[in-house]
Amino acid sequence: MQATRFLPSLGFLPSQSAKIEREPPFITNMIAPSPIIHSDPDILGGTPVFTGTRVPIKTLLDYLQAGDPLDEFLDHFPSVKREQAIASLQLAQEMLTAYANPT
């Protein structure tokens, strides 16, 4: 089962959409790059990073999984803006919600 979801709170334009597949969960067919997350083969071998930085998104998730507060992550990685970190978590929430509740 597949569902196409429009994610307006994440900065996608009306002409853009994300296709979410049920198994395994991942996004495909993104027409334009996300203003939050960037992946470039020349930056950390294509590892998804916060746009404008070399800080992997996974690093934020690792900090939170370890029980560290968001402020500690932001102190250790000052190139990441609070708004970027929060937006990435909102993106994760939207993706997980869409995966759990396909329409």
Side-chain angles (χ1 to χ4, degrees), residues 1-5 18-22 26-27 95 98-99:
M1 174 183 276
Q2 297 179 350
T4 300
R5 302 279 297 171
K19 182 178 173 184
I20 300 176
E21 296 184 11
R22 288 288 292 164
F26 59 93
I27 291 184
M95 290 176 59
Y99 176 72

Side-chain angles (χ1 to χ4, degrees), residues 37-103:
I37 301 168
H38 179 75
S39 180
D40 182 329
D42 294 330
I43 301 173
L44 299 176
T47 299
V49 298
F50 288 98
T51 300
T53 77
R54 295 179 63 84
V55 180
I57 300 297
K58 185 178 181 318
T59 304
L60 170 60
L61 300 176
D62 290 344
Y63 267 67
L64 296 176
Q65 184 178 16
D68 296 323
L70 178 59
D71 286 334
E72 184 171 333
F73 169 80
L74 295 170
D75 288 344
H76 291 171
F77 299 95
S79 62
V80 177
K81 296 177 179 65
R82 175 176 293 279
E83 294 79 20
Q84 287 178 295
I86 291 171
S88 71
L89 294 172
Q90 289 173 335
L91 176 60
Q93 178 185 14
E94 290 280 338
M95 290 176 59
L96 290 169
T97 301
Y99 176 72
N101 301 308
T103 57

